[in-house]
Amino acid sequence: MRLLCILMALVVAMGVCAKNSPFYWRANYAMTWLHGPNVCALQEVRGTRARYWDECMVYRPRTICGNPTFIRYYCCSGYEKVRGERGCTGVREMENIYTMLKTMHRQSFIDYIDNSKLDEMLETQGAFTVFAPHNKAFSSISPEMKKQLEGEPSLARYHLVPGRFNSSQLRNGLELATMMGGKTLRINRYSNGIITVNCARILMPNVQATNGIIHTIDQVIYPVDKRPTGAELLIQHPKYREFVTLLINSGLINDFRSDGPFTIFAPTDEAIAKMPSDLRDSIFNNKQALQAWIKYHIVKNDLCTAALITSCGIRTLEGSKLNITCGPGNKLYVDGSLVTESDMLASNGLVHTIDYPLIPDSARDLRFMASKLGLNTFVGLAGSVAMNATLSRSSGSNYTIFVPTEEAWSALTADQLHAIKANPAILAAMLRYHIVPGQVSTQNFVSEQLIPTITTTNGGTGGTNSVVVDVGGAGGGGSVQTGGSLGGSVSVDVTGGGGAAAATKFEPPSASISVRISVDRESIAVNEAKVVSSNHLSGNGYIHVIDKVMFPPQDPMLELVKKDNRLGSLTGFIQASGLEKMFSAKSGNLTLFAPTDSAFNELGADIDQLITDPKTLEKLLRHHIVDKTIFSCAIKPDLKYRYKTNLGQKITIVKSKPNSFDQQEIKVDQATVLNSDILGTNGVVYVIDKVLECDCL
């Protein structure tokens, strides 16, 4: 029964805390009910006296700015321990505010109360809510604030609010008029349960008195009304001169002179000077990019550092999130930039100073987005053939790029890469084959979809340097040959082998060609390349990262078969079966499993029947065709993929797990794949070592 009660209490606590904390689903609770009645709790940093209270008592993780903590239990306000009894069953006599402040040992605050002749008011009048700074808060006040506390009217009055407000009534954004001529203070309530008053954190709430209530805070607070707006605060400080100039150039400065509240993460002139000059130019010389950059530095809320005790994501006016982290020494970082000065209060929010500007993806063009993702080879090659203007905002166009990883480029040998780089026209055409016009998200991908690239197919012959690309898969060993004269060719084995497979000439093209999208349950492929990271949106397009360098297919499947000296029998059978038109089409979405000559020879007497019976031959070949493109990168190990062939019967494809040499075997029924992903204009070819069995022989 007792266990049931505990579980029910835990469920109730989760429901109560859910509205105020994103961590309510974790069972790191201060379970005060286990310690008896009238027990409260707070979180204390180990090895210090630093204590943190929040209204929800949900602590996850058990750290403050990376420092480990524990839960300290204590008697709630107005209660005390009774020897031999669980919890806090003794009830203290309630006193007036002034007496309670003395009982709480808030002596520094009391000294200023006495100096301002407020003691009698707090003894006999009310009701008041008092935000009483902890004694330590007074050790760090400025001479100007000390002068205001000692003057008349004393700043101590600003800590007094008419009426009784317990912590549950202190809602986010609430402004309360104080006893200092009606000057208001600002309440903020955060999802982690922390409550601040003008960015001072409430340390101990809800100490009840006969004529009011007392909340202990960690700072001495000062008025925010009649202070400058956030924009005016920046203008007043010379260190923000460059940021203010950019605010003006963006046309947004007046937006932050009213309304609010806003939190501005303001880089100093020194911080902005740290930006690479080309990145500065690309953002600051484009109004749309500049506005996105400015808005990424601004949050529509009061974001006091006192509430930032764990890592979190905060959405900006630009629309994306800042990653805020708090580390040892209570250092605060925003997207990796250090907050060097914090909680400068303005009438419509606050300002934090940062040591490096924040760069949203929406302000980057495709070049800088690729650099951010570490795709430096593609960026370098694009720059070497003067494609930077195409990828920058200055082009006025949006693009989607399928960018190979650094590992994909490394998979090419030095000779292969050199041969491609040797002809700028060829290199540019190859890079353009990775780029499609417009912003194309993977959410819009459809399997077998053909997306035109910004490169083109060649309609002419002669007079043009060309690259001959070996389209073979694994196995074999190709060589690299170069020819420098006009009309000569460069033979490049881009697959790491396939000496037996055909090579196909890749010339600088002249009419649009497409990449082929393949969508599987858990993967997406572009041609034979797997999409390993997707939907990186920059200011002028998307980047999808792929695991292979792509080369445009130049020949239909029939030509690929003809050029492979292992597939002579298949070439003859295609011509004899009447399927030549299917295999020679300029476009299509087929997968051909191509048996070698040795595979056909294993049929023995059955091969004679094929030669004399075109209908049986046609059926057999149709059983080796699937009416969709299948790329090996989309096949997960040890799963059985069932596909219906063009004949209507099923085949099964299985890929093994990588062996110690990181090699994987692909089986199609009983046949082993010798070469995979040989891309043609109308589909993809797999070379196999056996003829697939069907009910046609």
Side-chain angles (χ1 to χ4, degrees):
M1 185 64 183
R2 182 178 178 184
L3 178 60
L4 178 61
C5 291
I6 291 173
L7 290 173
M8 290 178 65
L10 182 60
V11 171
V12 170
M14 290 175 68
V16 170
C17 296
K19 63 179 180 180
N20 289 321
S21 172
F23 310 125
Y24 65 91
W25 49 271
R26 290 293 299 267
N28 286 338
Y29 290 92
M31 293 182 283
T32 55
W33 55 86
L34 296 179
H35 297 265
N38 307 314
V39 174
C40 291
L42 48 74
Q43 199 170 191
E44 182 172 323
V45 178
R46 293 185 183 277
T48 74
R49 296 285 291 175
R51 296 174 179 178
Y52 292 78
W53 170 88
D54 68 61
E55 64 167 352
C56 200
M57 296 301 132
V58 180
Y59 302 122
R60 181 263 184 194
R62 291 277 179 84
T63 60
I64 298 291
C65 291
N67 300 306
T69 65
F70 65 93
I71 297 175
R72 180 178 291 280
Y73 296 92
Y74 63 97
C75 289
C76 298
S77 172
Y79 297 92
E80 60 186 5
K81 287 286 294 180
V82 174
R83 185 184 295 273
E85 295 188 11
R86 290 180 66 255
C88 302
T89 55
V91 181
R92 292 178 177 175
E93 182 180 359
M94 189 180 292
E95 303 284 355
N96 61 61
I97 290 174
Y98 187 74
T99 302
M100 292 300 295
L101 286 171
K102 286 188 173 183
T103 303
M104 296 166 65
H105 306 292
R106 299 292 177 257
Q107 190 58 47
S108 296
F109 186 53
I110 290 172
D111 290 343
Y112 288 109
I113 292 291
D114 292 341
N115 184 67
S116 305
K117 306 288 193 295
L118 296 173
D119 50 335
E120 183 178 350
M121 183 182 75
L122 295 180
E123 286 178 325
T124 62
Q125 299 179 35
F128 302 110
T129 297
V130 180
F131 296 98
H134 195 276
N135 290 336
K136 289 182 180 179
F138 291 91
S139 63
S140 59
I141 61 174
S142 66
E144 176 62 27
M145 188 174 288
K146 182 177 174 63
K147 184 178 178 181
Q148 291 183 45
L149 284 164
E150 294 172 344
E152 188 58 43
S154 171
L155 188 60
R157 287 180 171 270
Y158 187 64
H159 295 71
L160 312 179
V161 172
R164 186 189 294 264
F165 294 90
N166 62 40
S167 62
S168 64
Q169 295 171 301
L170 300 177
R171 66 180 185 276
N172 187 52
L174 177 67
E175 293 195 354
L176 297 173
T178 69
M179 298 295 292
M180 191 177 181
K183 293 181 183 294
T184 59
L185 52 77
R186 187 186 303 153
I187 304 295
N188 286 106
R189 188 188 203 102
Y190 297 91
S191 62
N192 58 7
I194 287 176
I195 301 173
T196 63
V197 185
N198 284 13
C199 284
R201 180 166 49 85
I202 291 181
L203 299 175
M204 185 77 69
N206 303 330
V207 176
Q208 299 291 340
T210 56
N211 59 338
I213 192 168
I214 302 169
H215 306 291
T216 300
I217 56 177
D218 69 346
Q219 298 176 44
V220 179
I221 57 176
Y222 57 96
V224 294
D225 48 355
K226 295 191 178 178
R227 293 187 61 79
T229 64
E232 291 164 347
L233 186 62
L234 295 173
I235 292 171
Q236 292 175 5
H237 287 74
K239 62 184 176 183
Y240 304 120
R241 186 177 288 114
E242 181 69 16
F243 188 62
V244 170
T245 299
L246 295 169
L247 259 173
I248 295 170
N249 293 345
S250 71
L252 298 173
I253 191 165
N254 289 330
D255 294 355
F256 308 117
R257 280 184 160 138
S258 59
D259 299 327
F262 300 109
T263 296
I264 302 175
F265 294 97
T268 62
D269 292 353
E270 182 181 355
I272 292 175
K274 295 177 184 177
M275 292 176 64
S277 58
D278 53 350
L279 179 59
R280 284 204 309 268
D281 292 343
S282 72
I283 295 175
F284 299 163
N285 294 334
N286 181 286
K287 190 169 184 178
Q288 183 181 2
L290 178 58
Q291 288 185 340
W293 183 81
I294 290 290
K295 289 181 177 180
Y296 191 64
H297 288 78
I298 300 171
V299 173
K300 184 69 167 72
N301 211 331
D302 289 314
L303 200 59
C304 299
T305 56
L308 301 174
I309 59 175
T310 57
S311 299
C312 59
I314 304 294
R315 195 167 300 280
T316 67
L317 290 184
E318 179 264 346
S320 52
K321 286 186 176 182
L322 292 171
N323 182 32
I324 298 181
T325 56
C326 178
N330 290 346
K331 289 184 178 180
L332 193 66
Y333 296 88
V334 184
D335 274 7
S337 298
L338 177 66
V339 175
T340 57
E341 189 177 358
S342 63
D343 297 333
M344 292 178 282
L345 295 179
S347 61
N348 64 341
L350 58 140
V351 175
H352 304 298
T353 305
I354 53 177
D355 71 346
Y356 191 83
L358 311 174
I359 315 295
D361 291 344
S362 61
R364 303 174 192 267
D365 60 26
L366 285 163
R367 294 172 302 157
F368 292 108
M369 174 62 80
S371 296
K372 176 191 173 184
L373 296 172
L375 305 171
N376 299 316
T377 299
F378 186 91
V379 174
L381 292 175
S384 71
V385 290
M387 287 182 60
N388 282 343
T390 302
L391 305 182
S392 71
R393 285 178 180 269
S394 61
S395 68
S397 300
N398 294 324
Y399 296 104
T400 296
I401 313 181
F402 300 99
V403 184
T405 62
E406 295 300 285
E407 292 77 11
W409 293 106
S410 297
L412 304 179
T413 67
D415 286 342
Q416 291 166 355
L417 198 55
H418 172 74
I420 294 169
K421 290 179 179 179
N423 189 319
I426 293 297
L427 175 58
M430 185 197 70
L431 295 178
R432 288 176 178 274
Y433 184 62
H434 292 72
I435 304 172
V436 302
Q439 296 187 358
V440 187
S441 163
T442 57
Q443 294 177 337
N444 298 318
F445 283 176
V446 177
S447 199
E448 310 304 322
Q449 178 182 12
L450 294 175
I451 304 179
T453 67
I454 65 169
T455 193
T456 54
T457 54
N458 195 321
T461 58
T464 306
N465 285 345
S466 63
V467 172
V468 178
V469 180
D470 182 349
V471 297
S479 62
V480 177
Q481 302 172 347
T482 62
S485 61
L486 191 66
S489 67
V490 184
S491 176
V492 184
D493 177 1
V494 298
T495 62
T504 180
K505 183 176 288 188
F506 171 28
E507 298 180 344
S510 61
S512 178
I513 56 178
S514 301
V515 290
R516 179 182 283 105
I517 302 298
S518 177
V519 180
D520 212 326
R521 283 182 174 81
E522 298 181 18
S523 63
I524 297 173
V526 185
N527 289 359
E528 72 276 28
K530 184 177 182 179
V531 176
V532 295
S533 178
S534 63
N535 299 325
H536 300 284
L537 180 61
S538 73
N540 63 327
Y542 279 102
I543 287 179
H544 307 299
V545 184
I546 56 177
D547 68 351
K548 288 185 177 65
V549 179
M550 298 189 299
F551 291 87
Q554 303 294 303
D555 295 313
M557 290 192 294
L558 181 58
E559 291 303 310
L560 299 179
V561 171
K562 285 181 179 179
K563 292 177 180 180
D564 193 322
N565 56 24
R566 298 169 298 174
L567 305 178
S569 297
L570 179 61
T571 301
F573 289 152
I574 289 174
Q575 293 169 339
S577 66
L579 295 176
E580 190 171 2
K581 184 176 181 180
M582 175 189 291
F583 289 104
S584 60
K586 291 184 178 180
S587 63
N589 294 302
L590 302 175
T591 298
L592 169 64
F593 298 100
T596 62
D597 294 346
S598 298
F600 279 111
N601 289 336
E602 289 180 7
L603 292 178
D606 288 335
I607 197 168
D608 296 330
Q609 179 185 353
L610 293 177
I611 295 172
T612 59
D613 187 352
K615 288 187 177 180
T616 301
L617 178 59
E618 178 185 347
K619 290 180 180 179
L620 179 65
L621 294 183
R622 287 187 182 277
H623 187 60
H624 288 73
I625 302 168
V626 173
D627 294 323
K628 64 174 292 183
T629 49
I630 303 170
F631 294 106
S632 63
C633 63
I635 301 172
K636 297 184 68 175
D638 289 348
L639 295 179
K640 293 179 173 59
Y641 291 78
R642 300 277 287 165
Y643 292 101
K644 184 183 291 186
T645 68
N646 187 263
L647 183 64
Q649 299 177 21
K650 293 287 186 72
I651 58 173
T652 301
I653 302 177
V654 179
K655 183 197 290 186
S656 68
K657 291 181 179 178
N659 60 21
S660 57
F661 299 100
D662 202 31
Q663 297 171 329
Q664 293 176 280
E665 182 181 71
I666 301 175
K667 302 282 285 188
V668 185
D669 287 345
Q670 300 303 313
T672 299
V673 173
L674 304 177
N675 301 92
S676 64
D677 302 317
I678 306 171
L679 189 61
T681 59
N682 57 340
V684 63
V685 177
Y686 288 71
V687 179
I688 57 177
D689 68 348
K690 285 183 172 58
V691 176
L692 303 180
E693 296 181 3
C694 69
D695 296 335
C696 53
L697 290 179

